[in-house]
Amino acid sequence: DIQMTQSPSSLSASVGDKVTITCRTSQSISNYLNWYQQKPGKAPKLLIYAVSSLQSGVPSRFSGSGSGTDFTLTIASLEPEDFATYYCQQSSITPPSLGQGTKLEIK
Amino acid sequence: QVQLQESGPGLVKPSQTLSLTCTVTGGSINSGDYYWTWIRQPPGKGLEWIGYIYYSGTTWYSPSLTSRLTISIDTSENQFSLSLSSVTAADTAVYYCARRNKIVLGRSFDFWGQGTLVTVSS
């Protein structure tokens, strides 16, 4: 199985800040890395697939990068609706594994 | 627009079997383009993949659950189901059904149900 390590586990930031969340995998996964956003009481929502492709309807302030085992999710300028928990997920092999989540809170 | 909806009991007694169904609308479950997935989230914790099923009935299960788990599909009803036996309090979670792309969109989970809370308690 592939292990996922997300950092930080929590993050406080202000509206307008730029934030970066990191995801590291225990082995190379090529470009099979996806990011999800989850708000309290809601299902996760696909944000970015295949490292850097924005899902339809996702604002352009979200971006993803990386390759191999190290990946990042960047939010260029935080909006109030971006405060949520973010998960990375590898889809290279079964079982698909997810990071433990990064909770983004308002400072 | 595809929609998924979980249904089933919200309370299950320890040692009994947890059974949930996911109904898919707005698209056919009888498609070779997707894997139909169950994912759960214990209260206050992260997401855990449970397993998925292909339209043909082929299944993939989490190694930690495989001895207790059955996922089935009913293409005539456009539904797939989860059965988890011998449950304990550790199985208390919000259970989500989701659609996983087989090839496109990075093999991501692009549509999710709203989730249903299942509590294991006597």
Side-chain angles (χ1 to χ4, degrees):
Chain A
D1 296 8
I2 295 177
Q3 310 306 313
M4 312 289 287
T5 305
Q6 252 182 270
S7 60
S9 55
S10 64
L11 175 60
S12 293
S14 301
V15 171
D17 284 354
K18 176 181 178 180
V19 300
T20 298
I21 298 169
T22 297
C23 182
R24 178 165 289 174
T25 60
S26 59
Q27 65 189 70
S28 178
I29 60 169
S30 184
N31 68 334
Y32 291 108
L33 194 283
N34 309 308
W35 291 95
Y36 301 86
Q37 177 194 65
Q38 186 180 33
K39 295 182 178 178
K42 300 294 186 182
K45 169 190 170 185
L46 176 64
L47 284 182
I48 290 174
Y49 61 91
V51 178
S52 59
S53 296
L54 256 60
Q55 173 66 330
S56 176
V58 174
S60 59
R61 62 181 180 273
F62 290 92
S63 65
S65 64
S67 64
T69 61
D70 292 291
F71 304 90
T72 58
L73 170 69
T74 299
I75 309 173
S77 178
L78 279 171
E79 296 288 340
E81 60 268 28
D82 300 337
F83 292 94
T85 301
Y86 293 86
Y87 294 92
C88 59
Q89 178 248 329
Q90 69 80 17
S91 51
S92 176
I93 65 167
T94 296
S97 39
L98 295 107
Q100 78 276 21
T102 295
K103 187 173 184 179
L104 179 53
E105 299 174 304
I106 300 174
K107 185 183 288 185
Chain B
Q1 176 86 340
V2 171
Q3 292 185 314
L4 295 88
Q5 177 70 58
E6 306 89 351
S7 59
L11 181 63
V12 180
K13 289 182 167 49
S15 80
Q16 294 192 343
T17 297
L18 181 162
S19 297
L20 296 173
T21 295
C22 182
T23 300
V24 179
T25 56
S28 176
I29 202 171
N30 195 20
S31 166
D33 293 333
Y34 310 109
Y35 296 108
W36 303 98
T37 304
W38 289 100
I39 290 169
R40 69 181 181 179
Q41 185 171 37
K45 296 188 177 181
L47 300 162
E48 177 189 14
W49 175 78
I50 296 172
Y52 39 55
I53 189 164
Y54 198 45
Y55 78 106
S56 62
T58 303
T59 53
W60 292 261
Y61 295 159
S62 167
S64 66
L65 297 172
T66 189
S67 63
R68 301 191 289 129
L69 180 62
T70 302
I71 298 176
S72 58
I73 194 164
D74 185 341
T75 55
S76 66
E77 295 290 335
N78 232 36
Q79 296 175 333
F80 63 105
S81 299
L82 164 75
S83 177
L84 186 65
S85 64
S86 305
V87 297
T88 69
D91 296 308
T92 294
V94 175
Y95 285 75
Y96 295 101
C97 57
R99 187 182 83 170
R100 199 212 94 164
N101 291 280
K102 183 181 179 185
I103 296 174
V104 301
L105 292 175
R107 305 177 188 166
S108 60
F109 302 109
D110 62 345
F111 286 96
W112 297 65
Q114 65 186 27
T116 188
L117 174 62
V118 179
T119 301
V120 178
S121 175
S122 56

